[in-house]
Amino acid sequence: MVETIVKGNNIKEYFPVRAGLFSSIKDFVKAVDDVNIEIRKGETFGLVGESGCGKTTLGRVIIHLIPPTSGTLCFMGSELNKINKSELRKLRPHMQIVFQDPSSSLNPRMTIKQIIGEPLKINKKFKGEALINKILDLLKTVGLDEQHMYRYPHEFSGGQKQRIGVARALALNPDFIVLDEPTSALDVSVQAQILNLFKNLQKKFELTYLFITHDLSVIKYISDRVAVMYAGKIVEVAPTKEIFREQLHPYTKALLSAIPIPNPRLKSKHIHLKGEVPSLISPPAGCRFHPRCSDCKAICKKTEPVMREVHKDHFVACHP
């Protein structure tokens, strides 16, 4: 049986909307709303959806950068909502994140030696010459070398900065890494290099990834399973090959129809969605996708669909 490294049940993340003289709470942005998620050890779990659908927020909640408003979240068997700060601190080295923008995620006043060495110093893993050797080893692991150690972030290209971010994430030998759109700010040729680096590192260190992106071609290349997110909800989960072969949710069908076909002789069957993405402050009743769905029924406008298994390991939240 495959071990589960992350399991979340009914996760909600609501951000208050304040207004008025005394900044009283008027409403909430329902960024993540009643999400269930399970990530298995050793896999790359892809999370896709439009900008603003809650992907990054869910990723940050999973590694407890922001605590969930409600719901239960287990990491490596420990329920993060219930453990104290001391126990959470012990778990921190096992969970890391690589941010979307490599430039803003690196301190411009610190050298690369200081940036990568900081988590090692804080956790008292190495000191002196052993610390220098560990930093150099991490740099070589991501394709950099000793000459880069004493430079500052502004002296590097976007791809090199992302490699530094990856080296920092690897410093404490994590089991699980959230990759938050790690290739979206990079050129296509550099994207390929970084994706191959992630694959090689996964094999070498037996890593588990949550790969967040809106680039479906990247997901197809790197992921084992995919979850599709829409307006704070996960609407479909399936193995990557399965979801690219057969989409069960109308939103997933529309999303995948937007992938360009690299053949000018073939006509693309792009599905054009009507309307706009709903507000996360006041989402529509029933299925959140129903105002834009061409297959909308009366039940879709009133009753929220529950996630059900249609084929083996293929789940969808859509009324039959």
Side-chain angles (χ1 to χ4, degrees), residues 3 34 38 41 57 65 80 102 111 134 159 171 176 182 199 206 208 212 228 248 251-252 264 286 289 307:
E3 182 184 347
D34 207 23
E38 181 181 311
K41 188 172 177 61
T57 301
L65 280 182
L80 299 182
T111 64
K134 178 63 177 178
F176 175 69
K199 280 199 163 191
E206 299 181 346
T208 304
I212 300 169
V228 180
L248 301 178
Y251 176 65
T252 311
F289 186 64
M307 190 71 77

Side-chain angles (χ1 to χ4, degrees), residues 180-254:
D180 184 13
E181 305 216 28
T183 59
S184 63
L186 308 177
D187 294 335
V188 175
S189 60
V190 180
Q191 282 185 16
Q193 295 171 18
I194 297 298
L195 289 174
N196 288 329
L197 174 65
F198 288 140
K199 280 199 163 191
N200 294 334
L201 292 174
Q202 187 173 39
K203 289 178 183 178
K204 185 176 181 179
F205 298 109
E206 299 181 346
L207 296 169
T208 304
Y209 293 144
L210 170 62
F211 199 103
I212 300 169
T213 185
H214 60 267
D215 191 330
L216 294 165
S217 59
V218 168
I219 280 292
K220 189 175 183 179
Y221 175 71
I222 201 167
S223 296
D224 299 301
R225 287 191 302 140
V226 183
V228 180
M229 198 166 185
Y230 181 79
K233 297 272 190 181
I234 288 180
V235 297
E236 189 166 356
V237 182
T240 305
K241 289 182 180 178
E242 174 73 13
I243 209 165
F244 275 86
R245 184 181 64 83
E246 181 185 13
Q247 304 88 47
L248 301 178
H249 197 280
Y251 176 65
T252 311
K253 292 178 183 177

Side-chain angles (χ1 to χ4, degrees), residues 51 81 183 238 256 271:
S51 296
N81 319 53
T183 59
L256 267 66
I271 299 172

